Amino acid sequence: LATASPMSGWNLWEKVLWALGKSKHNLCFKIIFFVLIVLFSPLLLVFVLLLPCILRWSVDRLPQPSGDHQVGTVECEWNLDVADVKNKVRLFYPAVAHESEQQGVSWLPYPHDLYASAYVSAGGLPTFVSRYFTSILCSIKMPIFENASLASTSVRFPVILFSHGLYGCSTTYSAVCSDLASHGFIVVAVEHKDGSAAFTHTSQDNHTMTYQPPPAEWVQFRHTQLAHRVDEFNGALRRLSELNYDPSSIFYDKIDLKLVAAVGHSFGGATAVSCARLVDPLSPVAESTPLLPFAIVGFDPWLEPVPLQSLQRVRSPVLFVNTKSLTYPKNTNPVNVIFNAIVSIPNMFGLFVEITETRHQDQSDLPALMYGMMRVLALSGKRNPKESLQISSDLCRVFLLKSMVENSHQQYEREGLWDAAMDKMIETGNASVDSLLVHAWVSK
């Protein structure tokens, strides 16, 4: 897999911001920054006065799910058997909403104001901006239905375990999760309590955790977090299994626990790769029978922290949907390790796809909500972020469907246009397909 430097293809403004960020503790930088503040203070005063209007005007709505199903959601607090605390878990599922039910669920988990404040703090925004920004974040709604009835189909729904990246939470990727649910998947977005979330709170045990910065020697710290996250995924599967066998649950006998995919963004992508061996929730606890994910999908996965043995243990079809931000040697060398491991297995395949003109955060909700600000801060690429999200979701969905059919689950139908595109990507090996840079690995 050919790669370039981390900043290859970035525009001048992005490089300037990168340089400023790297030198912000430098005395020379502080002096220059102070001089600029003095020179442009009149303009800054006008900007501050207009800030509430600018912020309100710049926030967009989240995209509607593209599938045939409406989407229901429920926020749960589950004990995932990892520590003596509960985890917040958000379920997105195919639903049937009644006419009396109103579409629109708060984008931020509860308590909304604390999550909003954590996002603002993570962004390093000035204090005078925080108050306006917090109120705007609290007003954002997901275009889905709270506690709606589960859709009725002749087959059980496959499961996606979704892992957020650093500073994320259970709804940071609601656009992709909702879109996948609208196409017939039950998506379980786990809010990790490993110190990687900007903020997480569970009301039942009144437990709160904020982001924990890594030490200078961070490798072992991240290894520990990855192990913790995989344990949380296994706990979430056990709780989901209980719902599947509970006659009082809307999910009763509707979940296909043999079809579980691991999906995540950034550090969540590393988590998905580390889930090469989950634990079958139907097996006795003492036996811990391995459950092989039917597919692994990483959205711009940050693979540097994944131990070598975890990379070599992958035995599932793998899709990586990358942006320019993480396509650099230290992060793509592990990709070669993974794909070289799986091509020795019969009927196995992997895809590495780079969506051109995108940046790392484009696979989260934030650029879709506030593209102008994210673009100015070089946190979003030139491509329309809603288009980027739809491409990411489409690639993920069709890859999962292909993986299910290839594994003899013929009751799931493959799709026409995107299905043909996926086959073309795999057949061509290395190509440019509709603004996607594609590298494919296929076992012989």
Side-chain angles (χ1 to χ4, degrees), residues 382-399:
K382 292 181 183 179
R383 187 184 293 274
N384 183 310
K386 292 184 179 180
E387 178 187 349
S388 303
L389 285 173
Q390 193 60 58
I391 291 173
S392 295
S393 180
D394 287 342
L395 284 168
C396 178
R397 181 186 77 254
V398 176
F399 187 84

Side-chain angles (χ1 to χ4, degrees), residues 132-172:
Y132 303 123
F133 216 77
T134 298
S135 64
I136 290 172
L137 290 178
C138 288
S139 68
I140 296 171
K141 303 290 185 183
M142 298 182 285
I144 54 181
F145 297 87
E146 187 89 57
N147 296 319
S149 300
L150 185 69
S152 177
T153 66
S154 59
V155 297
R156 296 185 178 91
F157 296 110
V159 176
I160 295 174
L161 296 175
F162 197 99
S163 176
H164 63 75
L166 300 179
Y167 291 103
C169 70
S170 58
T171 56
T172 307

Side-chain angles (χ1 to χ4, degrees), residues 147-444:
N147 296 319
S149 300
L150 185 69
S152 177
T153 66
S154 59
V155 297
R156 296 185 178 91
F157 296 110
V159 176
I160 295 174
L161 296 175
F162 197 99
S163 176
H164 63 75
L166 300 179
Y167 291 103
C169 70
S170 58
T171 56
T172 307
Y173 307 90
S174 70
V176 168
C177 291
S178 298
D179 196 68
L180 292 169
S182 74
H183 288 274
F185 294 91
I186 293 177
V187 184
V188 183
V190 176
E191 195 165 281
H192 297 292
K193 278 195 172 176
D194 62 337
S196 63
F199 179 87
T200 179
H201 174 82
T202 42
S203 302
Q204 294 179 16
D205 55 1
N206 195 31
H207 184 267
T208 297
M209 180 178 284
T210 56
Y211 182 79
Q212 298 176 9
E217 299 295 326
W218 56 266
V219 175
Q220 187 55 51
F221 180 82
R222 295 301 188 199
H223 286 182
T224 302
Q225 285 184 312
L226 283 173
H228 185 101
R229 284 164 160 246
V230 174
D231 287 342
E232 287 175 330
F233 264 14
N234 283 317
L237 268 181
R238 286 191 288 272
R239 299 295 85 80
L240 201 64
S241 174
E242 292 167 2
L243 290 179
N244 190 53
Y245 291 100
D246 179 2
S248 65
S249 168
I250 64 169
F251 300 103
Y252 177 61
D253 200 29
K254 294 296 183 181
I255 305 173
D256 193 334
L257 292 166
K258 293 298 184 183
L259 278 179
V260 179
V263 181
H265 174 251
S266 192
F267 196 44
T271 306
V273 168
S274 300
C275 289
R277 288 289 189 276
L278 293 166
V279 175
D280 190 336
L282 304 180
S283 67
V285 175
E287 293 182 11
S288 298
T289 306
L291 173 65
L292 190 70
F294 75 84
I296 293 171
V297 178
F299 294 115
D300 222 14
W302 181 40
L303 297 175
E304 285 186 71
V306 183
L308 180 62
Q309 60 269 30
S310 296
L311 299 173
Q312 296 171 331
R313 214 165 41 217
V314 174
R315 294 294 182 271
S316 304
V318 178
L319 167 67
F320 291 141
V321 183
N322 270 51
T323 71
K324 176 62 68 177
S325 302
L326 292 192
T327 308
Y328 59 93
K330 279 191 177 180
N331 200 56
T332 54
N333 288 340
V335 174
N336 291 316
V337 175
I338 293 170
F339 288 147
N340 288 336
I342 67 174
V343 293
S344 62
I345 306 169
N347 302 318
M348 192 59 62
F349 52 94
L351 273 180
F352 180 97
V353 181
E354 181 189 330
I355 305 177
T356 58
E357 303 295 349
T358 57
R359 295 294 179 263
H360 188 59
Q361 297 300 336
D362 281 324
Q363 292 170 337
S364 73
D365 290 352
L366 292 170
L369 288 169
M370 47 197 75
Y371 177 61
M373 179 177 295
M374 297 292 284
R375 185 78 180 111
V376 168
L377 295 175
L379 295 175
S380 185
K382 292 181 183 179
R383 187 184 293 274
N384 183 310
K386 292 184 179 180
E387 178 187 349
S388 303
L389 285 173
Q390 193 60 58
I391 291 173
S392 295
S393 180
D394 287 342
L395 284 168
C396 178
R397 181 186 77 254
V398 176
F399 187 84
L400 295 181
L401 288 172
K402 178 176 176 61
S403 300
M404 286 190 286
V405 173
E406 293 291 333
N407 282 282
S408 299
H409 295 277
Q410 299 295 335
Q411 69 268 35
Y412 296 98
E413 296 181 0
R414 298 180 64 179
E415 299 184 9
L417 181 63
W418 269 99
D419 183 71
M422 184 69 70
D423 283 342
K424 181 181 178 183
M425 292 177 195
I426 293 175
E427 289 168 7
T428 54
N430 297 289
S432 177
V433 182
D434 298 330
S435 301
L436 306 177
L437 303 180
V438 181
H439 303 270
W441 284 258
V442 184
S443 60
K444 304 298 183 182

